């Protein structure tokens, strides 16, 4: 699947997320939306070559907001303003059609069997990035 060269329609975007088996795939980086930069990313948690992995792992983006929409599957969102600790975090069950926004600086994890549309504001990954497995993403972050 190639990245889009122009902003996809919602129907096309939904189909691209459903067809994606990679842990993370940048679909489109838009530098024209209301003068702001956004990035549309498909994520597959518990699918494809990474089927055994059912978590994005705790992460925090200090300067990036992240919007999630569940396109397929179900799971749990963990969110905390203070620490990456599931015992102290808010736990929110999520399923198809659910959407949520993670503000910059918020610790979060998503666990389950899900296909997600993720929108980053501003963009967080290089155009065309594909991580087949979570471990691939983690190794790239360490470099």
């Amino acid at each position: 699947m190639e990245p889009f060269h122009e902003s996809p329609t919602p129907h096309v975007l939904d189909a691209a997320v459903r067809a994606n088996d990679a842990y993370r795939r940048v679909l489109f980086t838009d530098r024209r939306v209301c003068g702001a930069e956004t990035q549309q990313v498909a994520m597959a948690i518990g699918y494809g070559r990474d089927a055994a992995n059912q978590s994005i792992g705790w992460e925090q983006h200090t300067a990036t907001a992240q919007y999630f929409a569940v396109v397929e599957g179900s799971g749990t969102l963990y969110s905390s303003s203070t620490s990456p600790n599931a015992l102290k975090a808010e736990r929110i069950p999520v399923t198809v059609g659910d959407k949520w926004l993670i503000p910059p600086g918020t610790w979060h994890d998503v666990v389950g069997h899900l296909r997600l549309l993720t929108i980053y504001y501003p963009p967080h990954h290089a155009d065309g990035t594909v991580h087949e497995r979570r471990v691939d993403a983690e190794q790239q972050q360490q470099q």
Side-chain angles (χ1 to χ4, degrees):
M1 177 186 316
E2 293 294 316
F4 294 101
H5 298 290
E6 59 184 51
S7 186
T9 65
H11 177 73
V12 169
L13 189 58
D14 186 71
V17 172
R18 289 180 189 280
N20 174 59
D21 275 337
Y23 169 75
R24 177 183 292 126
R25 180 182 307 274
V26 172
L27 298 174
F28 182 68
T29 302
D30 195 340
R31 308 207 186 280
R32 303 167 297 143
V33 175
C34 302
E37 296 184 356
T38 62
Q39 186 170 65
Q40 300 165 4
V41 176
M43 294 188 77
I45 312 302
Y47 287 89
R49 290 185 52 212
D50 208 17
N53 171 48
Q54 295 196 0
S55 168
I56 66 170
W58 282 98
E59 59 182 17
Q60 177 190 51
H61 309 293
T62 57
T64 304
Q66 192 172 7
Y67 169 87
F68 290 96
V70 180
V71 173
E72 187 175 298
S74 63
T76 304
L77 162 68
Y78 294 89
S79 177
S80 173
S81 60
T82 59
S83 70
N85 182 329
L87 297 176
K88 296 180 180 180
E90 181 178 9
R91 297 170 57 135
I92 303 168
V94 296
T95 191
V96 174
D98 288 346
K99 301 163 185 70
W100 65 93
L101 178 69
I102 302 294
T106 303
W107 284 100
H108 59 282
D109 190 6
V110 181
V111 178
H113 193 75
L114 304 129
R115 290 187 198 274
L116 303 167
L117 168 63
T118 304
I119 300 175
Y120 292 91
Y121 170 78
H124 192 71
H125 303 285
D127 286 347
T129 295
V130 177
H131 297 127
E132 290 294 333
R133 301 169 303 147
R134 177 177 151 191
V135 68
D136 300 333
E138 292 169 345
Q139 287 172 349
Q140 184 180 24
Q141 287 175 345
Q142 292 174 358
Q143 295 174 354

